Amino acid sequence: MTQLPIAAFIAAARSGRLISFPTDTVPALAARPDQASQIFAAKQRQPDKPLILMGASPEALWPYVRGNEQETRQWQQMAADYWPGALTLVLPACDRVPPAMNPLNPDSIGIRVPNSKVAQMILQQTGPLATTSINRSGQPALTNVQDINQHFPEVFTPLANLWPEPQSSDPLPSTVTKWTGQGWEVLRQGAVQI
């Protein structure tokens, strides 16, 4: 059984194992950033689809990006307007980000703070994690813990009482917007309208 009490679940995440937990969009498949290659392997995902770094707060994520003072102010304003929430900001990465997070473009990283108390509680204890939706590449995202445990038996999940009731409609993924150096470019329209 891959479902664990929360303390054992956090310990598994910290030790570098693959985990899944609910977020404000679809459930995440996650690992420590230095273990990001495990996510690509589990999903059978192509390296041209980068992972995002999810954190419990903006302050946990800013150390992973690099920009000048003016850019940083604009990024922080965008974060203040939309976080926590379903918005991923793609920003220039600093050298703290393992290249495995974005194999074809290690100079950039997507970051997000989910609007989910469960996700934030987990991320406060693990630190920022490499994340994506939990599904085989090209398949629909799995949305409940039973399906996740069935399709990904190697992935640890917290006990079912931490999972919200499944939504009746398909949850939208996060909106992804990239910093161009001059402003923002929406790469994927999702749950948040920019």
Side-chain angles (χ1 to χ4, degrees):
M1 191 62 176
T2 54
Q3 286 188 290
L4 297 174
I6 194 66
F9 175 78
I10 298 295
R14 286 180 176 158
S15 74
R17 303 297 295 269
L18 284 174
I19 62 166
S20 180
F21 55 88
T23 75
D24 51 346
T25 58
V26 294
L29 175 62
R32 280 189 345 223
D34 64 325
Q35 297 296 318
S37 59
Q38 287 190 68
I39 296 176
F40 285 94
K43 280 181 68 103
Q44 298 157 10
R45 184 182 179 100
Q46 296 303 309
D48 61 345
K49 295 186 170 163
L51 306 178
I52 70 162
L53 193 65
M54 196 176 277
S57 67
E59 294 70 33
L61 295 172
W62 297 133
Y64 292 87
V65 299
R66 60 177 169 76
N68 63 39
E69 207 174 313
Q70 184 182 359
E71 288 176 320
T72 303
R73 270 201 305 273
Q74 292 189 63
W75 304 343
Q76 289 173 339
Q77 184 57 58
M78 191 71 138
D81 290 345
Y82 292 100
W83 283 353
L87 177 67
T88 298
L89 302 179
V90 179
L91 302 174
C94 75
D95 55 12
R96 284 186 67 166
V97 178
M101 294 266 316
N102 190 351
L104 300 188
N105 184 8
D107 296 335
S108 123
I109 185 68
I111 60 174
R112 182 163 102 78
V113 177
N115 188 16
S116 157
K117 295 285 184 242
V118 171
Q120 288 178 20
M121 177 267 292
I122 290 166
L123 292 161
Q124 277 170 347
Q125 297 180 66
T126 61
L129 294 175
T131 63
T132 184
S133 58
I134 184 156
N135 54 297
R136 301 273 182 245
S137 206
Q139 300 292 312
L142 301 175
T143 57
N144 69 64
V145 71
Q146 292 79 16
D147 288 346
I148 291 166
N149 289 332
Q150 180 186 343
H151 291 279
F152 289 89
E154 74 280 20
V155 173
F156 292 104
T157 56
L159 290 174
N161 64 351
L162 287 177
W163 290 81
E165 288 300 308
Q167 306 296 314
S168 53
S169 61
D170 283 338
L172 286 172
S174 69
T175 296
V176 179
T177 184
K178 179 179 183 175
W179 178 252
T180 64
Q182 280 74 49
W184 298 100
E185 174 193 354
V186 175
L187 301 182
R188 177 179 74 194
Q189 190 58 64
V192 169
Q193 296 290 327
I194 299 295

